[in-house]
Amino acid sequence: MNKGVRVLSSPTLHAKVIATSRRAVIGSANASENSAFADDAVVITDDLDVITSVLTFIDGIARSPKSTRYSSTTPSGKRTGSCERVHGDA
C-alpha cells in the first residue's frame, strides 16, 4: 500500500479495472485456474483519453459509500478487490 496502490471492491462491479499513468486494463477475467475455462475478455490500452476516463471512473468508485477498500493482498498473498488505481509508471 505504500507504493500508491489502492484495491477497491464495489458490490455492483464485476469487471476488473487497473490503471497506471501509462496503461489501462479493463476486463472480466479472474486470476484463477477456473478462469482459464471461462469466456472472458480483457482490453489493454495505452490511449491517454481512455486512461484518463478509467482513472476518473476509479476515483468515483473510491468515493462511493458502497465501495470497500482492501489492502493490496490477503494474508494468503492473493489479490483482492475489483478495482485499483496504480500511481506512477508501472
Side-chain angles (χ1 to χ4, degrees), residues 2-90:
N2 60 358
K3 296 287 186 181
V5 175
R6 293 185 297 169
V7 179
L8 308 167
S9 180
S10 172
T12 58
L13 179 67
H14 175 70
K16 286 56 172 184
V17 182
I18 302 169
T20 70
S21 61
R22 296 179 356 189
R23 294 212 181 15
V25 181
I26 307 151
S28 61
N30 294 314
S32 68
E33 286 186 40
N34 290 341
S35 185
F37 303 106
D39 292 327
D40 287 319
V42 175
V43 174
I44 302 171
T45 183
D46 60 0
D47 181 293
L48 293 179
D49 290 334
V50 174
I51 294 168
T52 299
S53 294
V54 169
L55 292 172
T56 300
F57 173 78
I58 291 170
D59 288 340
I61 294 283
R63 287 189 303 272
S64 170
K66 294 181 180 182
S67 71
T68 304
R69 183 176 182 159
Y70 295 93
S71 61
S72 59
T73 58
T74 64
S76 65
K78 293 183 179 180
R79 305 284 290 161
T80 61
S82 299
C83 180
E84 62 187 82
R85 175 179 178 165
V86 181
H87 300 279
D89 294 325

